[in-house]
Each structure stands twice: as C-alpha cells, then as structure tokens.
Amino acid sequence: MDTIDEAIIRCVLRNARSTYAQIGKEAGLSAPAAKRRLDRLVATGAIRGFTALVDPQALAWHTEAFVEVYCTGNPTPAQLRQALEGIPEVVEACTVSGAADAVLHMLARDIPHLEQAVQRVRATAPVDRTESVIVLSRLLNRPRL
C-alpha cells in the first residue's frame, strides 16, 4: 500500500461512484491507470466491496439502538454471526471485550418494531440476555477506513 493506493481509497470512501477519471485526478494517474490500481486493490482484498449508505430515515426506520448481548456458554464469533444474520434489524454486530459478548447496532421503524427485533435476538441461541440503549441523536457518522 503506497500513497497512490491511499489516495484511491480516500476517493472511493468519499464517493464509491467516482469515475476512473476522478480517481485518477486525485491520485495523480490517468483513468486507465486508476482503473488498474483500483482493480488490484479489489483483487487483493484491500477493498472488499462498494456499497450505498442509505439514510434510515428514507426507509422510515427512525429508531436506532445499541444492544449489548450476553451469551450462555462460549460461542465462537462465527456461531454468533450465524445466529444474528437472519435478523435484518441488526445492521452491525461486533464481539467486544468486557462483560458483554457482543454489541449490536440495530435499526427499526419505531419502538414496538425495535422491541420485536430485540425479542428475536433474545430468542436466538446462544443469547441469554440483552441490554439496550436508544440513540437520541447522531453526532458524527463518518465513512469507515
């Protein structure tokens, strides 16, 4: 990874739909050279994919929460991931240090919808219990590196 690759990554983080000409301009390359470098970053796994960031408000999912998950036994991260994949309201899940086994970022239309989704999480083996906090307002939301 060199400074040119870093410039390409910064450009596609800002706008995944950037043209090869735009990427090349920011990285100091021609459009064909930018395409080759971007293709190489994808092929090596440095860039794992491209996505659209959808405003949850546009989907009318106005309620957001972070949910700590406490498990029975000692499930592997793969087992926990598999258990949570079928719950679309879970938009992000991370194993963490500390008392909780994982933290989930969840989105829902409203509080009743969130409650139903949290109940589905609780009903999933190996989940024992959860603790939730509701997001009141979002202060920062940056693209991830």
Side-chain angles (χ1 to χ4, degrees), residues 18-31:
S18 296
T19 65
Y20 295 123
Q22 291 168 325
I23 295 167
K25 182 177 179 183
E26 289 199 31
L29 300 170
S30 66

Side-chain angles (χ1 to χ4, degrees), residues 8-77:
I8 291 169
I9 289 170
R10 278 193 306 276
C11 182
V12 296
L13 274 175
R14 273 193 311 283
N15 181 4
R17 296 183 64 184
S18 296
T19 65
Y20 295 123
Q22 291 168 325
I23 295 167
K25 182 177 179 183
E26 289 199 31
L29 300 170
S30 66
K35 180 190 182 321
R36 284 191 301 274
R37 293 288 285 254
L38 182 62
D39 288 347
R40 183 177 52 78
L41 289 166
V42 171
T44 62
I47 295 177
R48 295 182 300 197
F50 300 87
T51 189
L53 296 175
V54 178
D55 183 350
Q57 302 292 322
L59 298 174
W61 283 29
H62 304 286
T63 304
E64 186 173 7
F66 289 92
V67 179
E68 290 183 330
V69 173
Y70 299 83
C71 296
T72 57
N74 191 18
T76 66

